[in-house]
Every structure is written in C-alpha cells, then in structure tokens.
Amino acid sequence: MKLSTIRLQNFRNIAEASLEFGRGRVFFVGANGQGKTNLLEAIGYVSALRAFRPGDNRALIRDGAGEAGIGYVLEHERTGRSEVIVRIRLRGKEATLDGEPVRRLADYLGRFPTVLFSSGDIQLIRGAPAGRRRFLDLHLAGCEPGYLEALQKYHRALEHRNRLLKEGGAGSALKAFEREMAPAAVRLIAARRQAMEKLGGLVEAFHGRISDGAETGTVAYRPDVEADSAEAFLALLAKNKMRDVQVGSTQRGPHRDDFAFRLGGKDAAIFASEGQQRALVLALRFGQLRDVRERSGVAPLVLADDVLGELDPVRRERFWAALEDDVQLFATGTTLPGNAGEGQWQVFRVEAGVFREA
C-alpha cells in the first residue's frame, strides 16, 4: 500500500497542508515542536480512525477551529485507488471511504494498516501491563476478524458486572452478564495466545538481525487465567465471586492479561540495558509489520517517529536491512539521515506547521 496524497485542515498546529508523495521513503525534518509528529499522527489516523497519542478530539483540532479534516488518496494492493475523508469534531468524527460513509469501525479496521516505530515504544517493556494489552488489542483488532467485537462485548459485560458487584452481586442480572462475558473471554484468550506465539517467533528472528545475536530475544504471553471454554470461565468467576464482591470488581480475567519481553531467558524489564530494550521493541514492531502483511496481504505504511537518531550506527544499518524495500516509510527527525543526500529520501522541512519540500 502507498499513500500518494494527504490533505490536512486545522489538524493540531497545521492550519492547512497538501502533500504529495512520490518516493518510498519520506523524511520530515525540523526542530522539536514544529509539527513533524502531528503530520505523522495524521497519516496514522487512517488506520483505525484514532490518534496514536492519548487525548480527546479537542487536542486534535487547531485552536480556534470548530473541526479538523484529513483527506487521503491511497494505492491499495487489493482495491486499487482509494480515497478516505475524515472530519474530526469535538463530539465525534465521521469518515467516508470512496464516498460511502463508514458506519461501523469493525468493517473499516484492517483496510489501511500502519505500523508505528516510536521512541516511546520502550515503555512497552518498562511500563504497566495496560500498555502492552493496548498494543496487542490494537494489533489484533486490525487483523483478526471478530476480535474487536469480542473485546467490546467483554468490556461492556465486565463494566456491568463490576457495577453489580459494588451493589452486593446478588440477583440474576449478574449471571446474565457473566454469560455474555464468558464466550468473549475465551475468544480473546485464544486469539492473544495464537498471536503471541507467532509474534514470539518473529521477534526472535528480527532480534537476531538487529542485535549482535549474542542473546535470544523474544516475547511470551502471560494470560491471567486459563479457560478454553465458556463453562471453564464461568466456573472461574463463580470460584472468585466472594472476593470480587469484597473488593467490588472482577479480579481475574483477560482484562488483566500481560506479555513479557525476554532476553537470554531473563525478564528484559529487569536485566536488559536501555540499548538491549530498544532492540527488543524494534524487533516487536518488525514482527508486527510482518504479521499484518502476512494476514492481510497488504504492506502497511511504516511510521518512524524520531527513532533513527536514537540508534547507534550499527543498529541503524540493521534497521534498514530489516525493512522490506517495497514498504512506504515516513520518518521524522531534527537532522537528516546520513543517506539523505543520495536521493533516497523525499524530504520536507517543517516549521510552525508548514511543510516545504526540499
């Protein structure tokens, strides 16, 4: 897949911009705070109609404007030329695909995949389990049919169950929500397990290419519960009900799942250096890129937000070697990459939300 044109209006600090891309590698260069990441975020918005940084719609709309707009023209492996238009308002958003309204996110997800390499990815190792679950849920929502629906059903029922637990957990309503949770929970656990097994192998392979190969790096799924049937999950809820009532919330289930990064068989969050941790998260993103492509048959757009400058020269060369030649890459940085003068990059200089092709 290739992005040939993007147009923006009142998106973050970008009043108006229209950019056309003619090469496979595009670099946005400028000082910090000028709008490089904002443009990258706008490109990534096409994937799931959401920003990759936290915040509500107000943060996406330029100060003083009532709404923001983004238009995309993409060349797609399966559908040919596609046009997506998104309007973001304070109280919601709307999108059209080739002139037709996008009515259900589940029908749209996965059509235009993107993979983000970010300096903040190191928090996938250092941060809380919620961040790792979010990574896995976003990945599977875009490439596993039915996953988003199961995730939404589980969390809706979980919210209702928790509310009833705070009220004492009595009555038939609690069991009704548990029966809704159970099949969704089993679906989530099975999908996550299968995905992490595949990602574990991909991470190991890519880590060997990025690092010096002295130690094996991988990821491993850590489910909070084991349940291969709805009946087994319901039995687990019944077993833990007394404690759940005492604390007023559901203490066990896939909403507490996690996965671990391992280096040489040890927990990378504890034993790996910063350089080793960065190599591991790079390997995870490369694994995600390969998994999405194999599942969908579509080459995702690759977004690299200020990560190239953080890599030492050896790892930077290994990054290029691991990146497939036919994927379109959009990267940002405060200085140009070392090979920018060789004609490999289409370069845009960024200042105060204005983009000028160099």
Side-chain angles (χ1 to χ4, degrees):
M1 182 176 66
K2 298 290 189 294
L3 174 64
S4 58
T5 304
I6 186 169
R7 295 183 175 89
L8 301 96
Q9 189 172 32
N10 296 324
F11 185 85
R12 292 199 181 266
N13 76 327
I14 304 170
E16 191 168 357
S18 180
L19 308 179
E20 295 185 359
F21 307 116
R23 298 183 188 176
R25 293 181 178 179
V26 182
F27 200 90
F28 304 103
V29 62
N32 291 327
Q34 300 305 303
K36 304 185 302 296
T37 299
N38 294 343
L39 192 282
L40 217 62
E41 190 168 44
I43 295 173
Y45 204 91
V46 74
S47 184
L49 302 181
R50 63 182 294 168
F52 59 65
R53 290 179 289 186
D56 58 18
N57 283 0
R58 185 181 303 274
L60 302 178
I61 301 172
R62 188 168 178 263
D63 288 345
E67 67 176 39
I70 315 173
Y72 310 84
V73 178
L74 303 109
E75 301 298 330
H76 198 275
E77 288 93 330
R78 295 185 302 182
T79 59
R81 185 182 185 276
S82 295
E83 184 172 356
V84 178
I85 298 175
V86 181
R87 296 192 182 279
I88 305 167
R89 302 185 177 93
L90 292 178
R91 297 183 178 273
K93 55 179 172 279
E94 62 183 38
T96 61
L97 171 57
D98 294 330
E100 296 295 323
V102 176
R103 303 190 187 281
R104 285 187 358 119
L105 182 61
D107 296 333
Y108 177 87
L109 280 175
R111 289 175 179 261
F112 307 105
T114 62
V115 172
L116 171 68
F117 291 76
S118 167
S119 58
D121 282 346
I122 200 166
Q123 291 303 316
L124 289 171
I125 296 179
R126 298 177 177 178
R132 291 183 285 276
R133 284 194 300 272
R134 183 176 184 270
F135 162 83
L136 192 54
D137 286 338
L138 288 173
H139 174 58
L140 287 172
C143 62
E144 174 77 17
Y147 184 86
L148 178 62
E149 183 180 2
L151 184 68
Q152 291 171 333
K153 283 183 177 180
Y154 178 82
H155 280 282
R156 278 196 302 265
L158 175 67
E159 183 179 352
H160 287 297
R161 185 178 193 264
N162 286 345
R163 189 177 300 121
L164 292 172
L165 289 170
K166 288 180 173 65
E167 299 170 358
S172 59
L174 187 74
K175 291 188 178 296
F177 288 121
E178 289 175 346
R179 287 194 294 271
E180 186 175 342
M181 285 174 67
V186 173
R187 176 71 182 273
L188 295 180
I189 294 168
R192 289 172 178 177
R193 185 184 305 282
Q194 183 179 20
M196 289 307 301
E197 286 177 357
K198 183 175 182 182
L199 282 174
L202 290 171
V203 168
E204 183 174 346
F206 279 109
H207 184 263
R209 295 173 63 180
I210 295 168
S211 68
D212 56 15
E215 295 177 298
T216 299
T218 189
V219 290
Y221 182 40
R222 287 181 174 174
D224 184 63
V225 299
E226 297 286 356
D228 58 4
S229 68
E231 292 74 18
F233 188 77
L234 287 170
L236 183 142
L237 291 178
K239 178 182 177 181
N240 295 320
K241 181 182 175 182
M242 184 175 296
R243 174 167 172 74
D244 289 350
V245 170
Q246 289 173 344
V247 299
S249 64
T250 307
Q251 295 299 291
R252 304 295 305 275
H255 58 289
R256 292 182 177 269
D257 278 358
D258 198 0
F259 67 88
F261 289 81
R262 313 286 294 179
L263 183 65
K266 297 179 180 180
D267 187 343
I270 299 173
F271 295 101
S273 68
E274 179 174 343
Q276 290 172 324
Q277 290 177 348
R278 291 199 181 279
L280 276 168
V281 293
L282 278 177
L284 176 66
R285 289 301 189 181
F286 275 115
Q288 179 190 10
L289 177 62
R290 176 68 61 82
D291 190 32
V292 171
R293 186 165 193 174
E294 289 181 352
R295 286 173 182 257
S296 67
V298 177
L301 304 178
V302 175
L303 315 177
D305 188 24
D306 205 22
V307 295
L308 301 180
E310 295 183 337
L311 303 178
D312 60 58
V314 173
R315 284 197 174 98
R316 198 175 303 136
E317 287 303 314
R318 290 171 178 167
F319 177 93
W320 297 128
L323 188 66
E324 294 169 321
D325 291 336
D326 61 342
V327 300
Q328 191 177 22
L329 169 67
F330 298 89
T332 69
T334 55
T335 59
L336 291 171
N339 58 358
E342 301 171 12
Q344 297 184 21
W345 292 92
Q346 182 179 5
V347 176
F348 291 87
R349 297 194 177 275
V350 188
E351 185 176 357
V354 177
F355 297 78
R356 295 184 176 88
E357 187 169 0

